[in-house]
Amino acid sequence: MATKEMSFLDHLEELRWHLVRSFAAIFILAIVIFVNINFIFNEFLLAHLKPDFTTYQFFCKIFSAIGIDSSFCNIEFAQELQVLNPTEELMTGIWSSLILGFVIAFPYVLWEFWRFIAPGLHSTERKKSRGFIFTSSLLFFLGVLFSYYVILPMSVFFFYNFSIGDSIVKNFKLGAYISLITNTLLGVAVFFELPVVIFFLSKIGLITPQFLRKYRKHALVVVLILSAIITPPDVASQVIVSVPIMILYEVSIYVSKYVIKKQQKNVSKSPRV
């Protein structure tokens, strides 16, 4: 049965409803999060200020096992954050809820995106692309976990311990601190989508495995620069962030190679006129 041709305006209307449902899902989750905002802040967003946070305890045990004294074993953070205007606490709670709502709703947003583009795909392409939602969501949440348990603890530890003078007192703003947490979570999670992005770029012919191999060294420089932006300005943090991203880059080369081989195989199988 032939599918009905849709006009440009019909496509826009269809896209509008997919966007409406996506934003509705994010908004509903944001409301649920905001209702429980005290728990979310104390147990999740402000957890890195607690000396018994999992990552600090892990590093403490590792350094102690090899006989090295570590600052991770006697962490003392000033856990009070400043609020400098009457609306800052409310607005920080609202924006944090929206961002976390998007993080949780990410698989559903991808599903709505797939539903929009699926009618334009062949039946075989639709079957092969069903793993797109699972793979993209898995990479996204791996990025969130890596950011939450590796990058953010190191960032908080660095910024609280870095000092250029004894007379300087650290009184961090609530909004600035939460922005560091949420922006880092989202930024690293987006980085982890690299193989998926390469898959689609290879699919439409903009990227090839030869191109990725040729510019591997340039990619490493870009990754180091981006790592320096989203992490504390110390070599250890940049290396820790760069290693998984470069691994994902190498995985992307094989993803691109697979896509190109598959396309060439399909072309060779297609009947010649």
Side-chain angles (χ1 to χ4, degrees):
M1 185 177 178
T3 57
K4 183 183 177 181
E5 283 290 330
M6 297 177 65
S7 67
F8 177 71
L9 291 178
D10 290 333
H11 280 294
L12 284 181
E13 180 66 13
E14 188 73 15
L15 175 61
R16 184 173 75 90
W17 281 108
H18 285 296
L19 291 175
V20 167
R21 287 190 291 269
S22 297
F23 282 117
I26 295 171
F27 188 68
I28 291 170
L29 287 170
I31 292 174
V32 174
I33 292 169
F34 189 79
V35 170
N36 300 279
I37 198 66
N38 289 336
F39 175 81
I40 297 297
F41 264 70
N42 292 328
E43 301 299 326
F44 182 70
L45 295 178
L46 302 179
H48 303 97
L49 295 177
K50 300 177 181 178
D52 61 349
F53 186 72
T54 305
T55 305
Y56 303 142
Q57 296 297 309
F58 174 77
F59 281 130
C60 176
K61 291 178 181 178
I62 292 295
F63 285 118
S64 298
I66 59 178
I68 298 176
D69 292 331
S70 172
S71 300
F72 288 107
C73 296
N74 51 4
I75 291 177
E76 293 183 4
F77 291 148
Q79 298 186 26
E80 294 82 13
L81 297 171
Q82 284 190 328
V83 175
L84 301 180
N85 63 68
T87 62
E88 182 176 357
E89 199 166 1
L90 174 62
M91 295 307 299
T92 300
I94 292 173
W95 280 111
S96 300
S97 300
L98 288 171
I99 292 172
L100 294 178
F102 170 76
V103 170
I104 298 172
F106 185 75
Y108 178 78
V109 174
L110 283 181
W111 183 65
E112 286 290 349
F113 172 73
W114 184 83
R115 286 182 62 199
F116 175 69
I117 65 173
L121 302 176
H122 296 294
S123 58
T124 54
E125 290 177 326
R126 281 198 293 270
K127 291 178 182 178
K128 293 176 181 177
S129 63
R130 284 175 182 169
F132 157 73
I133 298 173
F134 174 78
T135 304
S136 298
S137 300
L138 177 63
L139 289 172
F140 184 84
F141 288 121
L142 283 175
V144 170
L145 290 174
F146 180 74
S147 175
Y148 187 76
Y149 285 103
V150 179
I151 299 177
L152 283 171
M154 296 185 66
S155 299
V156 173
F157 180 82
F158 175 84
F159 288 123
Y160 266 93
N161 286 277
F162 178 78
S163 178
I164 58 175
D166 295 334
S167 61
I168 298 175
V169 179
K170 293 181 174 67
N171 292 318
F172 295 141
K173 287 178 59 181
L174 172 67
Y177 179 86
I178 297 301
S179 292
L180 170 68
I181 302 296
T182 54
N183 291 343
T184 304
L185 283 175
L186 281 180
V188 176
V190 170
F191 267 132
F192 271 62
E193 293 295 313
L194 181 62
V196 176
V197 174
I198 294 298
F199 175 86
F200 284 105
L201 292 178
S202 299
K203 195 80 173 174
I204 61 179
L206 291 179
I207 292 291
T208 63
Q210 293 78 15
F211 175 87
L212 294 172
R213 291 193 186 99
K214 180 180 179 182
Y215 291 99
R216 182 186 279 114
K217 293 180 180 178
H218 301 79
L220 176 59
V221 174
V222 172
V223 167
L224 288 173
I225 293 173
L226 293 174
S227 300
I229 294 173
I230 65 174
T231 61
D234 66 279
V235 176
S237 299
Q238 293 172 23
V239 171
I240 289 174
V241 175
S242 301
V243 168
I245 295 177
M246 287 309 299
I247 291 174
L248 289 171
Y249 186 86
E250 294 299 323
V251 170
S252 299
I253 294 177
Y254 287 98
V255 169
S256 179
K257 185 178 178 180
Y258 169 80
V259 172
I260 299 299
K261 278 190 174 182
K262 201 73 175 176
Q263 289 178 335
Q264 291 174 347
K265 187 177 180 181
N266 291 336
V267 170
S268 64
K269 283 184 176 181
S270 60
R272 296 182 180 179
V273 180

